Amino acid sequence: MRMIKTIGVLTSGGDAPGMNAAIRAVVRSATDRKCKVIGIRRGYWGLIESDFEPHHSRTVGGIINRGGTILRTVRCPEFKAKQYRERAYKNIMAAGLDALVVIGGNGSATAANVIHREMGLPVAVVPASIDNDVYGTEDTVGFDTAVNTAVEAVDKIRDTATSHERIFVVEVMGRHNGFIALEVALGCGAEAVLVPEIPYHLQQVCWTLMRGHKRGKFSSIIIMAEGAGASQQIVQQIKKITRLRVRLSVLGYIQRGGSPTAHSRLLAARLGNAAVRNIMAGYKSHLAGIMKGQIVTVPLQRVATKRKRIDRSIYTLTNQMAQ
Ligand code: F6P
């Protein structure tokens, strides 16, 4: 088995609170084992451009509580093209990287799997994404922080909604899935939740709102994932059907920023450490995830080809609680 003496680490895709804590965990777990660490700036683009910087215990001091990523990140569609990947492979070899840790979401894991397949480099993925849509892990670094940020924002919106007796549609992130929307909806006591995975009838949603209004509900909150439809149009339709006062609030990028919660930091520390330990133990292509509170290793081939499903019981419970 090839000795692992130098590990590369990068953050990729949409940033997530706790990525810095994960970088810190990777660097310190590696240096603890006398292994050198090269940080790659701007995700996969940094591999293509050879944008590397050495890291050690001190360079990752004071970052555990900081949002964003000190390594920075980009979305890198170029990496889908073979000619760019070949440039990246040359740079990986020139820098003497024996393994790579990728901190990122779905797309980042897919790209990591391709690197291992094409060049045989050992790769590990630390799932980090506010979307929590990575197969093989029940939780991703940053998800808890994003949900808390959104719940706090919706609590504030609820205040003004109640004062003005309004309905609010609050759009949260989630282009392809409703993980954030479901947890935010249940956590803030929303009257309805719309997610891309579950078809809905707006007419029915409106009946629920009107019934509530007749029973003396002064405000209603509908949480919708951005992938669940065009929010502006949905607001117009609800106005038309209910004849009530309806407003839209799009939470947007505030969900990606801010200091990570304790939960996100702990997860980052555990998974970052597991990724390095597993590489040292000879794992070639895996995701360090968490299931039922326990750390698990999942082959990247599975992560790249399977889709994580939402928990529909949260949807049912949200509706049941909205009386
Ligand atoms: O990080 C994931 C995500 O937040 C999605 O929920 C969202 O649709 C997307 O990123 C938007 O990110 P960007 O504008 O950076 O591509």
Side-chain angles (χ1 to χ4, degrees):
M1 200 165 63
R2 186 165 153 196
M3 274 272 285
I4 306 287
K5 290 196 227 123
T6 309
I7 293 183
V9 60
L10 61 82
T11 50
S12 159
D15 62 350
M19 275 185 163
N20 280 328
I23 296 169
R24 175 181 179 270
V26 168
V27 171
R28 293 195 174 171
S29 305
T31 52
D32 197 41
R33 286 168 172 75
K34 312 277 174 271
C35 184
K36 281 203 290 187
V37 182
I38 303 288
I40 298 135
R41 281 186 290 249
R42 301 190 183 85
Y44 288 106
W45 184 246
L47 278 182
I48 296 168
E49 291 281 280
S50 193
D51 193 357
F52 299 160
E53 63 186 14
H55 274 277
H56 53 81
S57 307
R58 295 287 23 100
T59 60
V60 292
I63 65 168
I64 196 167
N65 56 334
R66 278 167 54 191
T69 157
I70 58 162
L71 289 175
R72 284 174 263 159
T73 182
V74 293
R75 300 204 184 269
C76 184
E78 292 85 356
F79 208 76
K80 291 193 179 132
K82 187 90 191 246
Q83 88 242 38
Y84 282 101
R85 291 203 299 277
E86 275 167 358
R87 255 169 71 181
Y89 300 158
K90 279 193 194 130
N91 293 332
I92 288 172
M93 287 196 289
L97 301 186
D98 302 310
L100 179 68
V101 177
V102 171
I103 302 168
N106 239 333
S108 312
T110 304
N113 186 41
V114 173
I115 294 179
H116 174 70
R117 243 187 19 230
E118 290 182 343
M119 76 170 293
L121 187 80
V123 289
V125 171
V126 175
S129 157
I130 65 158
D131 288 338
N132 197 19
D133 59 347
V134 182
Y135 180 86
T137 184
E138 64 196 6
D139 200 359
T140 53
V141 172
F143 175 64
D144 179 70
T145 308
V147 169
N148 276 290
T149 300
V151 165
E152 206 185 313
V154 177
D155 285 349
K156 290 176 180 160
I157 291 170
R158 176 77 83 174
D159 290 344
T160 177
T162 307
S163 310
H164 287 265
E165 302 186 18
R166 283 171 175 166
I167 294 171
F168 265 85
V169 173
V170 182
E171 186 190 292
V172 296
M173 275 189 165
R175 250 181 311 188
H176 307 296
N177 57 71
F179 292 97
I180 297 179
L182 287 178
E183 297 217 356
V184 172
L186 187 57
C188 70
E191 276 62 33
V193 55
L194 311 179
V195 294
E197 294 91 335
I198 304 176
Y200 56 88
H201 297 287
L202 216 46
Q203 186 77 50
Q204 243 162 34
V205 174
C206 290
W207 284 334
T208 309
L209 297 175
M210 289 183 317
R211 262 202 313 272
H213 192 77
K214 277 202 191 113
R215 287 203 327 270
K217 267 204 176 192
F218 294 125
S219 68
S220 289
I221 302 282
I222 302 167
I223 301 293
M224 69 171 287
E226 57 179 324
S231 47
Q232 296 275 11
Q233 282 174 26
I234 287 176
V235 165
Q236 291 315 321
Q237 280 172 277
I238 297 176
K239 261 188 195 164
K240 210 165 137 200
I241 300 171
T242 62
R243 301 194 173 279
L244 295 170
R245 289 180 283 271
V246 193
R247 292 287 190 275
L248 171 65
S249 188
V250 179
L251 295 190
Y253 289 91
I254 62 159
Q255 293 160 94
R256 288 231 296 246
S259 180
T261 57
H263 180 90
S264 290
R265 297 180 201 190
L266 259 60
L267 189 64
R270 292 180 75 194
L271 299 187
N273 174 259
V276 173
R277 261 192 295 120
N278 293 337
I279 283 178
M280 298 292 194
Y283 279 84
K284 298 289 179 236
S285 169
H286 81 286
L287 169 118
I290 190 149
M291 281 292 183
K292 299 191 175 128
Q294 299 301 311
I295 291 173
V296 292
T297 52
V298 189
L300 278 189
Q301 183 60 24
R302 278 180 73 78
V303 178
T305 50
K306 298 216 172 270
R307 190 157 177 219
K308 184 168 164 185
R309 309 239 171 261
I310 52 161
D311 181 350
R312 285 176 181 246
S313 72
I314 303 181
Y315 181 83
T316 311
L317 189 56
T318 301
N319 291 325
Q320 206 180 328
M321 296 292 111
Q323 293 172 14

